[in-house]
Amino acid sequence: MPIVSRRDFLERSAALAAAGFVPRLPDALYDTPSPVTDAPVRARPCIVSSSNGIRGVKVAYDRIVGGEDPLDAVIAGVNIQELDPDDQSVGVGGFPNEEGVVQLDASCMHGPTKRAGSVAAIEDIATPSLVAKAVMDYTDHVMLVGAGAKKFAKAMGFKEQNLLTEKTRQDWLRWKARLNANDAWLDHDEDVRIKFSTGTINMNAVTATGDLASVTTTSGMAWKIPGRIGDSPIIGAGQYCDNLVGAAGSTGRGEANIKTCASFLIVEFMRQGLAPEAACLKVLERVVAMTETRLLNANGRPKFDLEFYAVAKDGRFGGATLYSGGRFAVCDEKGPRLEEAAFLYRR
Ligand code: ASP
C-alpha cells in the first residue's frame, strides 16, 4: 500500500474539499497526542453500569479483584437482571414486541483478545449476554439474529423458556387495549397508562492490569415492531471496548445511538485524551446534532433520553445523560453505589 504522509493527506483532503468532495477534518483531530499505550499498566479496578446494575457491579467487582476475566465478571453482573422477572427491561419479564413476543438483543466485547459477539431478536432464551459470548467464543462470526441465533443457542446447551411473565403479559394487553379506541379491544378505564418504555443494562469493567470488557443486554423498546433491533446488539453502538483505551456502553433510545455509533465514538474521544465523562458529553452533543426534527421539542432539544457509561484503561469512569436526574452504578475500592450522571440539559 502506498504510504501517504500526513502533509500529503491534508493537502489532498483540502483539494478535495475545495472541489466540494469531502469536508476536511479539523487539524485538531490529527494533532491531538494519543494517550494510548499497549505497555502493561496498573489501573484502579472498576465496574461501571446503568443504574439497574447496582447489584451486578458488586458481583462483577468481586470477580475481577479475585482475578476473574473481566468479560465473565460483567456478564455475571448483568445475568442478575436478565434472570430477574421484576426487571422489565431485559431477559425474563422483559417487555415484548407489539405481538406479545419477547425478543432480546445483547452484545459483548473482550478487550484483551480483541473479540466481540452479538445476538439480536433472539426468542425464548433468558440470558442473551451469554449467547453473545458463545458466538464470540465458538464461531467465526460476530452476530447472529432471530431464528438462527436461537438455534445456535440451543445447540450450545441453552434452555428454551417462556420469557413473558404474567405481569408483563398484562402490561402488554393493557397497552394493546389502549392503542386504538376504535379497535375490537375494549379499554379498561381502571387501567393505568402503560408507557412506550425502554430499558437495558450495560456494564463495563477495567481490571488492575488495565484489561477491559463490556456487555449490554436488553429486551429493547417495548411494543416494538417484530424484528426491530436496537443499539444493544450493535458493536460500537450498544457497547464498545478497546483494550488500549477504555470501554463504553449505553441505554436509552437505541435509534439515536445507532446513528452516532455512540459507544465507539466515546472510546475514540477517550483515545484522543478526553476523560470518560467529557467523552460521554461530547457524544451526547453529537446525538443532539444528529436528531431529526420530528424528535425535537420547541426548544430544539430531543424528546427522548439517552444514557452513556464509560471507563478508561486507568480506572477513571463517568456517566452522562441528555437530561438531569440520571444516575449510574459504580463499584471500585469504595464499594457499590449510585452516582449522579453529568447532563446536557436541566429538566
Ligand atoms: N437501548 C435499548 C434499545 O433501544 C433500550 C433501552 O436502553 O432502553 O433497544
Side-chain angles (χ1 to χ4, degrees), residues 198-200 218 220-221 228 230-232 251-255:
T198 55
T200 294
T218 189
M221 203 179 260
R228 177 265 187 190
D231 56 324
S232 306
T251 59
R253 184 178 163 80
E255 282 73 4

